[in-house]
């Protein structure tokens, strides 16, 4: 699937998903209004003075409980179950047609969107159940379903918007300059979801920008431009300043080798700090910079900071793939290592992010 076909698919799906926005807005408002009373109820229940025979406690308790029920009743006065159900059926049928129009879209992608529609159906059925029975205990079940569905909708819509925005921005005809060069990256994972798609592009672009800073290359004159993007097994062909592309491709290759080799021979996933230390000591990286006409001093604090930023961005990409082609060079893990590597990398990425956040908070307090 080409970048243009992928863009068309995302645009069509996003348009259909956005037809559910009014429904989502009504559910969000219901959740917010109920939560105001719900939080106060929780505060009362877990207070030290809570007792069912304490009038000072039970009077506000009953008032907020009644407030929850009132919110639900007001919602039902405005909410048209039949109209929203018909809208869901219409959107589901139209998205089914889009799937048929783009048969190459992965099964996981279809399931993600289908699950969102199924969850909307579940919410509608729960609302109908409440209307029939007026059983207030159903409100708790409904709130949980509403919360999950709204989060899911916002996540999918935001991912597709980011993809649409990026691809519309970069789909213009490329005017290649003599001092520019192509960087080709091919990730061979079976399924690239929208979030990972955006992460790939953002991480590569961030690393390119940092390398431009190191080499004092103007991003205004030589921004990273997209020549081609294909989904499925994610393929990107990017155009940038020649020496920056050469240095970046070499760094991606070295980090990939470090991470894959460490796991192959020792069964360990490298942390960001470990990768940075190995990069600083790697004579081949320093030699590459010299070949390109740059003297890099890893004793310089700014140089270390720049390389940490690239280690972070590139490490996130390599931590989520087991096979990558960098220009013409293939790097991969053996099949028996893939599942364990992806699982352990995922855990380590979360841990590294948490530690980094704690460090930032500590630094801010110190300042």
């Amino acid at each position: 699937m080409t970048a243009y076909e992928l863009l068309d698919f995302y645009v069509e799906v996003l348009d259909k998903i956005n037809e559910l926005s009014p429904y989502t807005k009504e559910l969000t408002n219901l959740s917010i209004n109920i939560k105001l009373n719900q939080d106060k109820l929780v505060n009362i229940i877990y207070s030290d003075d809570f007792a069912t025979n304490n009038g000072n406690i039970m009077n506000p308790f009953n008032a907020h409980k009644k407030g929850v029920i009132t919110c639900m009743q007001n919602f039902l006065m405005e909410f048209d179950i039949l109209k929203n159900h018909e809208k869901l059926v219409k959107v589901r049928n139209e998205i089914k047609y889009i799937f048929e129009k783009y048969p190459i879209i992965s099964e996981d992608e279809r399931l993600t969107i289908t699950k969102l529609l199924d969850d909307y159906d579940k919410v509608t059925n729960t609302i109908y159940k409440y209307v029939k029975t007026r059983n207030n205990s159903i409100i708790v079940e409904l709130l949980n379903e509403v919360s999950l569905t709204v989060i899911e909708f916002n996540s999918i819509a935001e991912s597709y918007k980011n993809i649409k925005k990026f691809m519309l921005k970069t789909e213009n005809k490329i005017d290649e300059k003599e001092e520019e060069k192509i960087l080709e990256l091919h990730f061979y994972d079976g399924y690239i979801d929208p979030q990972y798609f955006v992460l790939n592009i953002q991480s590569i672009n961030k690393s390119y920008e940092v390398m431009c800073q190191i080499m004092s290359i103007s991003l205004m004159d030589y921004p990273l431009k997209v020549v081609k993007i294909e989904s499925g097994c994610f393929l990107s062909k990017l155009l940038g300043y020649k020496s920056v592309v050469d240095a970046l491709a070499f760094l991606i290759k070295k980090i990939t080798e470090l991470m894959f080799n460490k796991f192959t021979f020792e069964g360990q996933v490298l942390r960001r700090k470990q990768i940075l230390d190995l990069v600083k000591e790697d004579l081949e990286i320093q030699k590459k910079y010299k070949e390109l006409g740059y003297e890099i001093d890893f004793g310089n604090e700014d140089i270390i900071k720049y390389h940490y930023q690239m280690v972070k961005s590139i490490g996130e990409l390599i931590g989520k793939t087991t096979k990558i082609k960098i220009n013409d060079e293939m790097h991969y893990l053996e099949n028996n290592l893939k599942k364990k590597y992806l699982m352990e990398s995922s855990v380590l990425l979360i841990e590294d992010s948490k530690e980094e956040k704690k460090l930032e908070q500590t630094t801010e307090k110190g300042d």
Side-chain angles (χ1 to χ4, degrees), residues 7-55:
L7 178 60
D8 289 342
F9 169 76
Y10 284 142
V11 167
E12 289 184 38
V13 168
L14 182 60
D15 286 344
K16 292 304 164 193
I17 288 177
N18 277 336
E19 288 184 23
L20 300 174
S21 293
Y23 187 7
T24 308
K25 187 175 180 181
E26 290 181 74
L27 296 179
T28 302
N29 289 338
L30 170 66
S31 181
I32 291 170
N33 290 333
I34 288 182
K35 197 172 187 307
L36 292 172
N37 288 284
Q38 188 183 37
D39 289 346
K40 290 172 183 175
L41 282 172
V42 171
N43 289 334
I44 291 171
I45 291 171
Y46 287 101
S47 67
D48 295 334
D49 300 327
F50 182 76
T52 55
N53 60 355
N54 186 335

Side-chain angles (χ1 to χ4, degrees), residues 179 181 183 207-219 222 224 240-251 289 292 294 310:
E179 57 271 31
K181 184 176 182 178
L183 169 64
S207 297
Y208 178 84
E209 289 177 358
V210 172
M211 191 64 82
C212 282
Q213 286 180 290
I214 292 173
M215 296 184 162
S216 300
I217 301 299
S218 169
L219 279 168
Y222 299 101
L224 188 65
Y241 191 77
K242 189 176 185 301
S243 60
V244 174
V245 167
D246 282 339
L248 183 56
F250 192 80
L251 188 63
Y289 277 126
L292 295 169
Y294 296 89
M310 288 190 288

Side-chain angles (χ1 to χ4, degrees), residues 78-318:
E78 302 291 332
F79 186 79
D80 190 326
I81 296 177
L82 180 60
K83 181 182 176 182
N84 280 288
H85 174 70
E86 289 173 347
K87 183 181 292 182
L88 276 170
V89 171
K90 175 177 174 287
V91 169
R92 187 186 288 273
N93 288 334
E94 289 172 345
I95 286 181
K96 183 181 176 183
Y97 169 73
I98 295 172
F99 285 158
E100 292 170 353
K101 186 176 173 183
Y102 300 92
I104 199 169
I105 292 297
S106 72
E107 185 61 25
D108 287 333
E109 190 77 63
R110 297 167 190 265
L111 288 174
T112 299
I113 298 167
T114 302
K115 183 181 182 302
L116 174 64
L117 299 175
D118 290 343
D119 288 344
Y120 272 112
D121 277 335
K122 191 185 293 185
V123 168
T124 305
N125 290 334
T126 303
I127 293 172
Y128 181 65
K129 185 164 66 172
Y130 178 79
V131 170
K132 280 183 67 179
T133 63
R134 295 292 171 171
N135 182 347
N136 292 326
S137 65
I138 294 173
I139 296 176
V140 177
E141 176 187 352
L142 176 62
L143 278 179
N144 289 333
E145 291 174 358
V146 166
S147 178
L148 290 173
T149 304
V150 169
I151 290 171
E152 200 172 357
F153 169 86
N154 290 336
S155 175
I156 292 174
E158 189 60 30
S159 293
Y160 287 162
K161 283 177 185 175
N162 287 339
I163 292 168
K164 178 180 176 181
K165 181 180 177 182
F166 177 83
M167 295 187 71
L168 285 174
K169 181 181 175 182
T170 57
E171 68 171 347
N172 297 322
K173 184 180 177 181
I174 301 298
D175 181 21
E176 185 174 349
K177 301 174 184 177
E178 185 179 344
E179 57 271 31
E180 291 179 317
K181 184 176 182 178
I182 293 286
L183 169 64
E184 184 172 328
L185 299 172
H186 198 162
F187 296 82
Y188 286 84
D189 301 272
Y191 168 60
I192 302 295
D193 64 22
Q195 288 85 353
Y196 187 45
F197 181 99
V198 174
L199 171 66
N200 270 17
I201 297 298
Q202 289 176 338
S203 296
I204 296 164
N205 191 59
K206 176 65 178 174
S207 297
Y208 178 84
E209 289 177 358
V210 172
M211 191 64 82
C212 282
Q213 286 180 290
I214 292 173
M215 296 184 162
S216 300
I217 301 299
S218 169
L219 279 168
M220 291 289 291
D221 295 332
Y222 299 101
L224 188 65
K225 294 174 278 190
V226 175
V227 178
K228 183 179 183 181
I229 291 179
E230 292 185 6
S231 66
C233 293
F234 182 84
L235 167 68
S236 60
K237 287 187 177 182
L238 309 162
L239 185 70
Y241 191 77
K242 189 176 185 301
S243 60
V244 174
V245 167
D246 282 339
L248 183 56
F250 192 80
L251 188 63
I252 294 172
K253 183 189 95 167
K254 293 300 294 186
I255 291 175
T256 302
E257 288 175 349
L258 289 170
M259 292 179 70
F260 283 4
N261 288 343
K262 184 74 172 179
F263 195 79
T264 298
F265 297 112
E266 299 181 30
Q268 294 180 358
V269 179
L270 287 169
R271 305 193 79 128
R272 291 170 185 165
K273 180 67 169 61
Q274 291 175 301
I275 298 171
L276 179 63
D277 288 341
L278 291 169
V279 165
K280 285 157 53 180
E281 296 167 4
D282 195 302
L283 296 178
E284 290 184 4
I285 292 176
Q286 294 183 34
K287 182 182 176 184
K288 185 66 179 179
Y289 277 126
K290 284 182 181 179
E291 287 175 0
L292 295 169
Y294 296 89
E295 288 286 342
I296 300 298
D297 177 13
F298 278 106
N300 184 294
E301 191 175 326
D302 287 335
I303 293 296
I304 293 174
K305 191 183 297 181
Y306 288 145
H307 279 82
Y308 179 78
Q309 290 172 8
M310 288 190 288
V311 162
K312 179 182 175 182
S313 296
I314 296 167
E316 284 182 356
L317 291 181
I318 308 305

